[in-house]
Amino acid sequence: MIKKIRSYLDDPDLDVQYKSFILLSIIALIGLFLGLVGGIVINQSILANLSLVVEFSLFAGIFFYSVWLNKLRFAMVFISTFLVFVFLPISFFTSGGAAGGTPVWFMFATLYILMVLSGKTKAFYLAAESLIIVVCWVVGFYHPELIIEFTRPEAFIDSMLTLFIVGTVMAILINYQTVLFRRENERVRRQKTQIESLNRSQNLFFSAMSHEIRTPINSILGLNEVILRQEDASDEIIKDAASIQSAGRLLLSLINDLLDISKIEAGKMDIVPVDYEIADIISDIAGMVSPRVNEKGLAFNVSAAHDIPSVLFGDEVRIRQIVINLLNNSVKYTHEGSVNLKVRSENTGIDSINLIISVSDTGIGIRKEALPDLFDAYRRVDQEKNRNIEGTGLGLSIVKQLIDLMGGEITVDSIYGSGSTFTVCLPQKISDPRPLGDFSVNTSLSLKERDGHLFTAAGANVLIVDDNEMNLAVETRLLAGTGLVTDTAMSGADALKMTKKKHYDVILMDHLMPVMSGIECLSAIRSQEDGLNTDVPVVVLTANADGENRELYKKSGFDGYLVKPVTGKQLEEMLMKHIPAKKLGRPGTAVIPEDAGSGESFKTILRLFCRSIPQKSSELEEFYASKDWENYTIKIHALKSSAKIVGAHELSEMAQKLEDAGKKGDADYIREHHEEMIRTYRELASMAAPPSGVQKKRVMVIDDDELYSGIIRQWIKDMCSVEIFTDGMKGVEWLAENRADLILLDYMMPKVNGPEILEILRSNPDTASIPVYFLTGVETKESLAPIMSLKPQGCILKSTSRGDLRKIIEDALA
Ligand code: ADP
């Protein structure tokens, strides 16, 4: 029993009420016992002693029984009843009434009830005790004969004993309470530190994981977009790729939402105000959302009040996030009708406004009962109806918390079954009070416009710096169809070598790289002696553009930032801002001949065009110098067409005007514009063969795993030119008209496998002497034996590192 009582008192999870009950009961029992002993010693009346014996036994019986059976709550109420209705009145009348020790026991009972009971029960017993006190005192006053009076020594001893007992009880109790309080405080403090450190590690885990997860998703989405852009891909492939895209994007948005929520909860979500143009935000958002709206066959109405100040100061990125989230929800939960975005402003001071953005739809609406919980995290309302609609229930919670952080408000009006309107009010500062004026956005982009390239830029050079070769492969391939020349560097040091050799129009720089970060590399480029790119725009590519980083990028001098995974469109939009206008052409206006449908044939045409530049430009110079306007006009006519074919539109337009002038005999116009045209023409020459002028060696990779061939290309493309074939027979056909210095041949391939291709190559005298290395996934020497028995020049394991592979290729090409 003692063990059981101790376990109760030591249990940190047991409510303090129960502990007080046990302690008080034990002390009360000791008190009663001492009272009984005292009564016997002072020779108290038999009735008084008998009543004490009965009270003690009853109290002890109930207490130990309830502890034994774990029925503390029952005992608490029972003993309170016993104290108030039995012990106190009996004690009052048998122990000297108001002159005895009972009044002190009444105080003890009050304390007992206060500490042990709670709620209505407590109120009832306190009221009952007060009533009993009044009754005892009144009856005792009018009928003193009912009270068994004490003799003088009895009264003294009884009151002394009672005071002593109850005083000790209270002292112990208060002391115990203080100890409990201290212990509890200590426990809460320890728990708080534990929770804080847990929270910190959880946040660290979240941000590390999100970075780790975003990197591979970046590759998946990027390569998938490359597939989506392939004109010759079958419908089935496009359908599968579209599914990958939507699943990948969902996964990404989930990770971003989780990261946002964990940041907000850790108080680490910073609001970073900057100057921004309201027109940009509205048209960008409309451009992003309209494809989804169009896809669902909904109408999309965007309007903005003409008096909104054109430039505001606020956290542009978070405002975009809020509006996109609300619009995406509207699209998600609307099956027919329209989605509407309205923006207006209300003046709140000379340099401040409330920006009011309302997003409404004619969708499924939200039940009235669900509205109060709408902004709770992980809360999805109307689950039954929405179970087929993807979502996590995090979006609106993030929206609400971001708005709170910005000091704004969000309200929602909804009629179930008819639609919803979310209205956001954000206080913003005015940076330029000139009104926005008439504003319209095109919300009906066709699918074709969306999926094609935004520009062509034959002659423009872009350097991409990233330590992750998959990222390099993705970005290079996303831009492949624009005619841009993309060079890649896998480290800051490599990038610095390249910026000394060649001028680029834009540099895309990863932020987090080992040894030299993107920021360090940027500052080295800016201050590079003999550098050709000291003032070239550099855009940072980052997996994490939160408030802190955005500030950092701005301060470090980057000309823009893109958040990974970047889509082809985002990449192209950013490049369009920075590539000189004269190098940009409109997409689709390049007349690519029928047979130039594939990227490879177009590249061949482009190469031919570029290689002919030195000769053709000299011819033009000669006719210009000898004022032979007739031949000059013939040559310039040819240039007009060929420039158009490769998408060099500015050059083509210049040539067109010079041709017109030539036909009219306007020599002055030709003199005025010839030089500019020649300069533009010669700038395109950088697209020709390698800058060193040395014919590059050509390595052919035949592997059905396009991803692996893509990686090889990234690893070795600065050493040689690389031709990739997924189908061995296509490679053999290509060799009929082209040359290769080395062939890397996958051993295991569907349809025609590696050994068969090797046999075909060896049976043809033109290709028999080309060294062939087998590519294989096998790892053991024994499994290599059958491969080596075919006597290839060598064998490369697919697990070979970049450095080793480069060494093998270097030796093989030497
Ligand atoms: P989810 O990822 O589920 O969309 P949100 O936090 O964005 O999470 O939204 C919470 C819930 O609010 C949704 O599950 C949906 O039931 C409801 N909801 C949000 N926006 C709309 C809307 N425009 N129309 C109807 N219901 C909406």
Side-chain angles (χ1 to χ4, degrees):
M1 178 57 73
I2 293 174
K3 255 193 194 161
K4 190 138 193 170
I5 289 174
R6 281 195 69 163
S7 76
Y8 270 128
L9 291 177
D10 291 340
D11 182 355
D13 294 328
L14 189 70
D15 199 292
V16 75
Q17 238 179 343
Y18 293 98
K19 290 183 177 171
S20 303
F21 162 71
I22 293 171
L23 204 71
L24 277 172
S25 301
I26 293 172
I27 296 169
L29 279 173
I30 297 173
L32 274 174
F33 181 74
L34 288 178
L36 181 63
V37 174
I40 294 167
V41 171
I42 61 168
N43 215 359
Q44 205 171 233
S45 72
I46 298 196
L47 196 64
N49 282 340
L50 201 67
S51 78
L52 272 177
V53 171
V54 172
E55 283 159 4
F56 176 79
S57 328
L58 204 66
F59 197 150
I62 300 276
F63 173 70
F64 289 116
Y65 181 71
S66 65
V67 170
W68 189 248
L69 293 182
N70 294 333
K71 290 202 165 150
L72 294 185
R73 173 117 208 104
F74 159 76
M76 278 148 69
V77 176
F78 193 92
I79 290 175
S80 302
T81 314
F82 167 76
L83 259 179
V84 174
F85 296 105
V86 181
F87 172 76
L88 292 175
I90 293 180
S91 194
F92 183 82
F93 288 102
T94 57
S95 310
T102 316
V104 182
W105 280 106
F106 269 106
M107 269 176 61
F108 173 78
T110 312
L111 190 74
Y112 184 89
I113 293 168
L114 277 175
M115 294 187 66
V116 164
L117 300 181
S118 59
K120 282 187 187 151
T121 325
K122 176 156 74 180
F124 168 76
Y125 280 93
L126 282 175
E129 195 201 352
S130 309
L131 192 73
I132 300 269
I133 291 175
V134 174
V135 170
C136 286
W137 258 254
V138 170
V139 173
F141 185 78
Y142 288 107
H143 299 281
E145 72 280 5
L146 295 177
I147 296 173
I148 300 171
E149 292 290 348
F150 279 145
T151 59
R152 209 170 116 77
E154 275 174 356
F156 266 84
I157 291 175
D158 181 60
S159 64
M160 186 188 75
L161 256 178
T162 315
L163 258 179
F164 183 72
I165 294 166
V166 176
T168 316
V169 166
M170 290 200 184
I172 294 176
L173 201 72
I174 289 169
N175 191 43
Y176 180 67
Q177 287 281 322
T178 319
V179 171
L180 270 189
F181 181 71
R182 265 202 221 117
R183 262 197 228 158
E184 200 55 22
N185 250 352
E186 177 61 19
R187 198 163 72 101
V188 169
R189 206 182 49 75
R190 263 205 318 269
Q191 261 179 359
K192 195 171 156 239
T193 335
Q194 265 173 2
I195 291 169
E196 275 171 4
S197 96
L198 211 72
N199 234 339
R200 260 197 308 276
S201 41
Q202 184 194 343
N203 283 326
L204 270 175
F205 173 76
F206 264 131
S207 51
M209 276 316 283
S210 91
H211 188 85
E212 292 307 314
I213 297 172
R214 271 199 270 190
T215 308
I217 299 182
N218 181 14
S219 309
I220 295 169
L221 284 178
L223 287 173
N224 193 58
E225 195 174 330
V226 173
I227 297 173
L228 279 170
R229 283 178 171 216
Q230 269 170 17
E231 282 166 18
D232 51 356
S234 71
D235 286 352
E236 208 174 331
I237 289 176
I238 292 294
K239 217 172 101 206
D240 291 346
S243 306
I244 295 174
Q245 190 179 48
S246 93
R249 284 187 181 162
L250 186 73
L251 190 59
L252 198 68
S253 77
L254 180 67
I255 289 160
N256 288 341
D257 280 357
L258 281 173
L259 193 72
D260 279 351
I261 278 280
S262 76
K263 260 197 201 153
I264 292 174
E265 280 171 4
K268 290 213 170 125
M269 178 65 85
D270 297 324
I271 296 300
V272 186
V274 291
D275 283 344
Y276 68 88
E277 291 191 30
I278 187 71
D280 279 357
I281 289 203
I282 303 173
S283 49
D284 286 0
I285 291 176
M288 278 176 76
V289 179
S290 53
R292 292 193 59 207
V293 182
N294 293 337
E295 232 164 72
K296 275 191 98 172
L298 304 171
F300 188 21
N301 307 308
V302 181
S303 68
H306 68 276
D307 60 348
I308 309 176
S310 53
V311 183
L312 298 173
F313 183 72
D315 192 331
E316 179 194 4
V317 174
R318 298 298 165 200
I319 296 175
R320 281 172 193 257
Q321 185 178 356
I322 291 166
V323 184
I324 290 172
N325 218 312
L326 294 177
L327 280 170
N328 278 343
N329 271 354
S330 280
V331 179
K332 239 181 355 182
Y333 298 107
T334 303
H335 305 306
E336 56 184 27
S338 64
V339 169
N340 313 292
L341 170 65
K342 275 193 195 144
V343 186
R344 63 188 177 88
S345 64
E346 258 173 18
N347 281 335
T348 51
I350 313 170
D351 65 346
S352 61
I353 56 148
N354 273 338
L355 185 65
I356 297 165
I357 304 163
S358 100
V359 174
S360 61
D361 59 62
T362 56
I364 59 171
I366 303 159
R367 280 183 210 275
K368 231 190 181 118
E369 317 81 84
L371 289 177
D373 305 327
L374 200 63
F375 298 104
D376 292 353
Y378 305 102
R379 181 65 69 113
R380 302 200 70 207
V381 299
D382 228 345
Q383 292 273 26
E384 227 352 65
K385 215 167 165 186
N386 298 343
R387 67 176 182 280
N388 292 328
I389 303 177
E390 284 160 347
T392 55
L394 285 177
L396 283 183
S397 165
I398 295 171
V399 162
K400 167 89 173 71
Q401 299 194 57
L402 288 177
I403 293 172
D404 286 349
L405 282 175
M406 288 194 247
E409 259 180 25
I410 178 164
T411 51
V412 51
D413 270 330
S414 186
I415 300 173
Y416 190 57
S418 304
S420 319
T421 304
F422 288 82
T423 308
V424 177
C425 172
L426 294 170
Q428 301 284 286
K429 290 255 172 288
I430 301 173
S431 287
D432 183 344
R434 277 175 295 177
L436 172 69
D438 283 341
F439 174 81
S440 73
V441 282
N442 177 13
T443 54
S444 55
L445 293 175
S446 76
L447 222 65
K448 202 163 170 36
E449 276 172 302
R450 205 164 31 92
D451 290 341
H453 290 290
L454 298 177
F455 62 86
T456 54
N461 292 294
V462 173
L463 172 65
I464 312 176
V465 190
D466 199 315
D467 60 313
N468 180 330
E469 56 265 314
M470 285 302 296
N471 286 346
L472 289 177
V474 168
E475 283 139 24
T476 308
R477 292 177 68 177
L478 282 177
L479 294 172
T482 58
L484 279 169
V485 179
T486 45
D487 288 344
T488 57
M490 285 194 66
S491 67
D494 283 355
L496 289 173
K497 279 183 210 151
M498 299 173 80
T499 49
K500 268 191 172 181
K501 285 190 200 145
K502 185 167 168 183
H503 169 79
Y504 292 98
D505 295 294
V506 182
I507 298 175
L508 300 173
M509 176 84 67
D510 184 29
H511 175 193
L512 292 178
M513 290 187 290
V515 191
M516 186 187 282
S517 77
I519 295 177
E520 288 162 344
C521 186
L522 168 72
S523 97
I525 290 175
R526 292 278 184 253
S527 56
Q528 192 175 31
E529 258 178 53
D530 316 327
L532 302 176
N533 296 273
T534 47
D535 50 5
V536 158
V538 181
V539 173
V540 62
L541 288 165
T542 168
N544 181 7
D546 58 13
E548 241 169 75
N549 278 340
R550 276 185 276 142
E551 268 298 273
L552 179 70
Y553 297 142
K554 221 167 132 186
K555 266 201 221 131
S556 314
F558 282 105
D559 298 270
Y561 69 84
L562 282 169
V563 182
K564 291 186 207 170
V566 277
T567 63
K569 189 167 169 245
Q570 287 166 339
L571 207 54
E572 288 179 17
E573 275 172 352
M574 182 57 84
L575 290 176
M576 269 174 86
K577 282 191 202 163
H578 297 294
I579 292 174
K582 63 178 180 186
K583 291 193 180 175
L584 288 177
R586 287 185 305 279
T589 45
V591 186
I592 298 172
E594 296 275 282
D595 65 345
S598 81
E600 282 311 310
S601 347
F602 180 63
K603 268 194 219 157
T604 315
I605 292 169
L606 204 57
R607 236 175 268 131
L608 285 174
F609 172 82
C610 295
R611 279 188 199 149
S612 66
I613 292 175
Q615 190 203 335
K616 295 232 159 92
S617 60
S618 315
E619 282 170 11
L620 275 167
E621 290 272 56
E622 271 169 35
F623 292 132
Y624 175 78
S626 59
K627 296 189 184 122
D628 181 351
W629 303 131
E630 196 181 331
N631 278 321
Y632 184 88
T633 309
I634 293 167
K635 285 279 162 203
I636 206 91
H637 168 83
L639 175 61
K640 178 191 75 182
S641 313
S642 55
K644 200 168 184 186
I645 286 174
V646 295
H649 301 284
E650 202 201 0
L651 178 65
S652 174
E653 276 162 28
M654 283 178 180
Q656 166 85 65
K657 286 182 187 150
L658 284 167
E659 184 192 359
D660 291 345
K663 279 182 186 157
K664 280 190 260 165
D666 184 353
D668 287 345
Y669 183 90
I670 298 178
R671 267 189 223 104
E672 244 172 77
H673 295 91
H674 168 81
E675 260 196 31
E676 192 192 349
M677 180 276 298
I678 285 287
R679 204 174 44 248
T680 313
Y681 190 20
R682 285 190 169 144
E683 267 174 15
L684 298 180
S686 58
M687 301 205 50
S692 57
V694 180
Q695 184 78 24
K696 270 194 177 182
K697 294 264 170 111
R698 190 180 273 166
V699 174
M700 191 174 170
V701 184
I702 303 176
D703 194 329
D704 59 311
D705 179 357
E706 226 181 321
L707 208 61
Y708 182 67
S709 339
I711 293 173
I712 294 193
R713 188 206 292 274
Q714 284 307 324
W715 284 355
I716 59 172
K717 68 181 237 194
D718 58 319
M719 307 162 58
C720 51
S721 70
V722 184
E723 299 293 338
I724 291 178
F725 292 89
T726 47
D727 177 339
M729 289 314 288
K730 289 242 165 77
V732 173
E733 276 168 33
W734 182 83
L735 278 172
E737 294 190 4
N738 297 279
R739 107 200 127 73
D741 301 293
L742 172 67
I743 298 174
L744 306 183
L745 178 60
D746 189 20
Y747 186 74
M748 293 267 277
M749 282 189 294
K751 288 199 250 169
V752 189
N753 67 20
E756 286 164 318
I757 299 286
L758 182 66
E759 212 177 302
I760 298 171
L761 292 172
R762 292 212 171 134
S763 62
N764 180 345
D766 290 339
T767 52
S769 59
I770 307 175
V772 175
Y773 278 63
F774 272 128
L775 297 169
T776 168
V778 303
E779 295 290 324
T780 58
K781 279 216 165 105
E782 298 79 64
S783 18
L784 273 180
I787 304 177
M788 294 312 285
S789 69
L790 298 171
K791 301 212 166 29
Q793 242 68 30
C795 192
I796 299 175
L797 300 185
K798 287 197 174 178
S799 53
T800 304
S801 69
R802 176 175 181 266
D804 292 345
L805 184 95
R806 285 173 67 88
K807 183 97 199 41
I808 297 171
I809 304 288
E810 203 176 288
D811 293 346
L813 289 177

